[in-house]
Amino acid sequence: MKLPIADARTTWDYTRRLLRANRREFLLIAAMTMASALAGLVGPWLLGRLVDDVSTGTTAGHVRDLVLIAVAAILVRGVIQKVAQQRAMVFGETVFAAMREEFLDTATALPLSTVERAGTGDLVARTTNDIAKLQNAVRFGVPQLTVSVVTILLTVVACLVMAPLVAVAIFVGLPLLLAVVRWYLRRAPDAYQAESATYAALNGTITESVEGASTVDALDLGSRRNGRSDADIEAAYRAELRTLRLRTVLFPGVDLTFVIAPVAVLVWGGYLASQGTVTMGAVTALVMYTFQLTGPVWNLVYWLDEMSVAAVSLARVIGVRLVPADRVASDASPSSGDLEARGVRYAYREGHDVLHGIDLDLRPGERLAIVGPSGAGKSTLGRMLAGIHPPTGGSVTVGGVPLVDLPLEELRRRVALVTQEHHVFVGTIADNLRLADVGASDARLREALAAVDALSWVDELAEGLATEIGSGGAALTPAQAQQVALARLVLLDPDVLVLDEATSLLDPRAARHLERSLAAVLHGRTVVAIAHRLHTAHDADRVAVVEDGRITELGSHDELVAAGGSYAALWHSWQHE
Ligand code: ADP
């Protein structure tokens, strides 16, 4: 299951809305561009007049005046262009920043169940590759396209006004230009997308080979990995060839039209001038104008191409907004902190239940350990109990209200989940902790760290709580990162905590110590711990054994050991390890 992709209409509506929100600035830039394009028309026009005046006889003073005006026009144009370009860049950045913020809002509000089902890879690709492609298009593309279109239109209008009969010749190259560009644009998006896909594959293969170098060596997979890299390089080479072939048609094709147009204007204009229909000056001006079109037309072609690629990315980025919410908050409020699961079923894929009707009453303040074989459904149950996914059957309620009916903030205050996956954010240790409680004092942060046995190593860091961590800062070991995640949980202080192998990265002794000190701090809170180390179960008030999507045994450690079922077997074999 992939995240949705927006259709052309939605994409277009979004673009229009974005431009409309910044309409004043956009119109201002367009007006300045127009002024600069007009100033650019002055030079050739004066040159034309000069030709006419000189051929009919004029004074040196007049020539000097015309030249001075031309120089002034160039200066004025330069100044307007500078201001317009500056504003256009700021405009591009503003629009892009707004898009980015909106995307971040959408991405962070995305139902976790959807992200988990679609896999984080898709979302990450949209956040990185697609946004990067859009960045270029929005920052430079929109301003450049505006400049090109305005300049081309004004130049053509000027030609038509000045000498309509001669101006017709400008369009001689147009059919060829349109044909070549159309041919190219029809093939380019697919070809370039295929090209990026081959590079993505190549990157993947190389990264895997390097990261797994020792495994590759140990299993003697070297030649196989090399073979894969060669195949990927071959594919990338073919894709490159294909796009290169497209460019070998586009570039000469467009260039040819740039040769045809001025020549046509010169020949046709020369003929008309010899007939006395137009002046030589008008022909001179028009030839110059035709040359001046080269830059803007190239720009237009280039950016249309880039924009067609960016449109694909935009559709993918906007697509994220189309994910339907997986829950609607009601305003019911829980009457107590009791968590109850009734007949809970869950299927990641329709028709394949991984939980088959689970009933569980958590007594407030108790510590429940969930154990069982891998793949039995423990993590899935944990996610149900934390309200991450709405169950596909049955219900999980807190104080009588289904978890998924609670507003997200309320839900997180009541139940929180810590898994093996945790993230260190760029910032200080204190910043990382305050994500859970913005107003927490340093003393409170230290308490939380102490509760997860992390205070000693934090104090050993050069700047203690103020040490920068995350990418670019001090590197935490995975176990330390896990402790920071747990300390955050202590600060959040929810009624119910679900720990899914949350201490798995610590060594067994440290893990047990941490769990005990955590238990002391969390006294009175309900804790559900999914455990692969049985000492967690031993220390818990009750143990639930999950097998094949069902709770098969439930009771205290001593009861279950006495009962002699699977838990007893597990416990005995674990003790002899
Ligand atoms: P445990 O935590 O006991 O190892 P899980 O709850 O992770 O078990 O998995 C239970 C079953 O659900 C397994 O068969 C697993 O393959 C499947 N499963 C888990 N997560 C997903 C997912 N995101 N998409 C599809 N199937 C999943």
Side-chain angles (χ1 to χ4, degrees):
M1 224 190 78
K2 287 264 179 166
L3 295 170
I5 292 176
D7 59 16
R9 204 195 149 74
T10 318
T11 311
W12 178 233
D13 282 350
Y14 177 84
T15 313
R16 271 216 326 245
R17 189 170 61 76
L18 212 59
L19 285 181
R20 204 175 308 142
N22 298 282
R23 184 167 43 190
R24 270 190 48 182
E25 188 60 22
F26 181 71
L27 289 179
L28 186 69
I29 293 167
M32 284 206 268
T33 309
M34 215 177 268
S36 132
L38 281 175
L41 295 176
V42 173
W45 175 68
L46 285 176
L47 191 67
R49 284 216 28 202
L50 209 56
V51 169
D52 284 347
D53 292 349
V54 170
S55 46
T56 52
T58 182
T59 63
H62 180 65
V63 172
R64 187 203 54 217
D65 289 347
L66 289 187
V67 171
L68 282 180
I69 298 175
V71 171
I74 291 172
L75 288 179
V76 168
R77 183 175 193 209
V79 172
I80 301 178
Q81 229 168 16
K82 179 180 150 46
V83 178
Q85 244 166 34
Q86 223 164 22
R87 291 196 84 118
M89 293 296 281
V90 174
F91 171 77
E93 292 292 343
T94 315
V95 172
F96 185 62
M99 279 177 70
R100 226 179 162 126
E101 273 167 26
E102 218 174 288
F103 178 72
L104 195 65
D105 281 347
T106 317
T108 45
L110 217 50
L112 268 178
S113 53
T114 312
V115 180
E116 294 221 344
R117 253 186 263 181
T120 43
D122 192 12
L123 187 60
V124 170
R126 293 184 194 210
T127 320
T128 52
N129 296 353
D130 289 313
I131 289 277
K133 278 185 196 150
L134 274 179
Q135 176 172 337
N136 227 354
V138 176
R139 281 183 178 166
F140 307 113
V142 174
Q144 290 286 341
L145 267 182
T146 317
V147 171
S148 312
V149 170
V150 168
T151 313
I152 294 172
L153 283 180
L154 281 181
T155 310
V156 170
V157 168
C159 291
L160 287 171
V161 168
M162 204 177 285
L165 217 49
V166 187
V168 178
I170 295 177
F171 301 104
V172 168
L174 195 60
L176 177 64
L177 182 72
L178 288 182
V180 169
V181 170
R182 223 172 97 103
W183 179 90
Y184 176 81
L185 287 183
R186 277 220 177 140
R187 288 161 181 76
D190 281 350
Y192 282 107
Q193 253 181 20
E195 190 186 289
S196 349
T198 60
Y199 276 110
L202 179 61
N203 282 344
T205 305
I206 292 178
T207 314
E208 275 168 23
S209 300
V210 172
E211 282 181 352
S214 45
T215 315
V216 170
D217 276 346
L219 301 179
D220 199 15
L221 296 173
S223 58
R224 211 189 294 178
R225 297 301 303 178
N226 275 339
R228 257 189 82 168
S229 304
D230 286 346
D232 286 347
I233 291 172
E234 172 74 23
Y237 172 74
R238 291 198 175 289
E240 276 281 0
L241 265 191
R242 192 170 148 213
T243 59
L244 185 64
R245 220 166 273 141
L246 293 181
R247 291 192 294 276
T248 56
V249 172
L250 177 74
F251 289 100
V254 175
D255 273 337
L256 188 60
T257 62
F258 290 145
V259 179
I260 294 176
V263 171
V265 171
L266 194 59
V267 172
W268 174 236
Y271 168 74
L272 290 178
S274 72
Q275 300 295 306
T277 323
V278 294
T279 66
M280 213 46 223
V283 177
T284 311
L286 257 63
V287 171
M288 296 283 289
Y289 284 147
T290 321
F291 274 121
Q292 277 191 4
L293 282 175
T294 314
V297 170
W298 254 130
N299 241 346
L300 184 66
V301 172
Y302 176 79
W303 282 110
L304 278 182
D305 182 21
E306 290 282 304
M307 289 307 216
S308 70
V309 175
V312 176
S313 290
L314 184 60
R316 287 166 50 79
V317 168
I318 303 176
V320 177
R321 297 149 51 94
L322 305 179
V323 173
D326 67 347
R327 63 190 75 200
V328 188
S330 70
D331 44 11
S333 89
S335 55
S336 68
D338 298 2
L339 199 65
E340 266 184 25
R342 283 285 165 273
V344 170
R345 302 180 158 275
Y346 191 74
Y348 289 97
R349 280 180 302 141
E350 212 158 309
H352 293 81
D353 280 2
V354 297
L355 296 179
H356 308 279
I358 295 228
D359 294 311
L360 189 63
D361 285 325
L362 287 176
R363 305 175 195 144
E366 82 163 328
R367 292 162 43 74
L368 175 83
I370 300 182
V371 298
S374 155
K378 303 184 296 294
S379 295
T380 310
L381 177 59
R383 289 188 201 132
M384 299 292 116
L385 294 178
I388 306 282
H389 300 279
T392 38
S395 66
V396 182
T397 55
V398 60
V401 179
L403 286 182
V404 290
D405 281 4
L406 294 175
L408 271 180
E409 258 171 43
E410 162 96 10
L411 174 64
R412 292 290 158 257
R413 230 166 27 77
R414 300 222 169 239
V415 231
L417 172 75
V418 176
T419 67
Q420 301 178 52
E421 273 186 59
H422 33 69
H423 188 72
V424 173
F425 294 88
V426 174
T428 63
I429 293 191
D431 292 340
N432 266 275
L433 295 175
R434 287 205 174 99
L435 287 173
D437 182 358
V438 182
S441 65
D442 278 5
R444 177 101 180 83
L445 300 186
R446 295 174 63 81
E447 270 171 37
L449 287 169
V452 296
D453 290 346
L455 193 56
S456 52
W457 63 258
V458 169
D459 276 342
E460 274 169 27
L461 293 171
E463 298 178 56
L465 277 175
T467 308
E468 292 279 340
I469 53 174
S471 144
L476 297 189
T477 64
Q480 290 174 330
Q482 202 160 42
Q483 283 171 306
V484 171
L486 285 168
R488 234 175 352 230
L489 195 68
V490 172
L491 288 167
L492 190 65
D493 194 25
D495 297 336
V496 180
L497 282 84
V498 182
L499 307 178
D500 187 353
E501 305 203 341
T503 55
S504 59
L505 300 172
L506 282 85
D507 69 65
R509 192 181 309 219
R512 189 165 199 187
H513 192 267
L514 188 158
E515 280 171 21
R516 285 186 169 161
S517 59
L518 194 59
V521 174
L522 296 175
H523 190 73
R525 303 291 174 215
T526 312
V527 178
V528 178
I530 298 170
H532 67 299
R533 293 187 184 125
L534 289 195
H535 65 69
T536 312
H538 176 267
D539 294 348
D541 298 318
R542 281 196 302 168
V543 180
V545 180
V546 174
E547 286 170 308
D548 195 19
R550 292 183 178 82
I551 294 184
T552 49
E553 295 175 24
L554 182 64
S556 72
H557 169 82
D558 292 338
E559 283 166 14
L560 293 189
V561 170
S566 10
Y567 180 76
L570 214 58
W571 174 252
H572 291 307
S573 72
W574 190 70
Q575 283 210 306
H576 293 118
E577 252 177 30

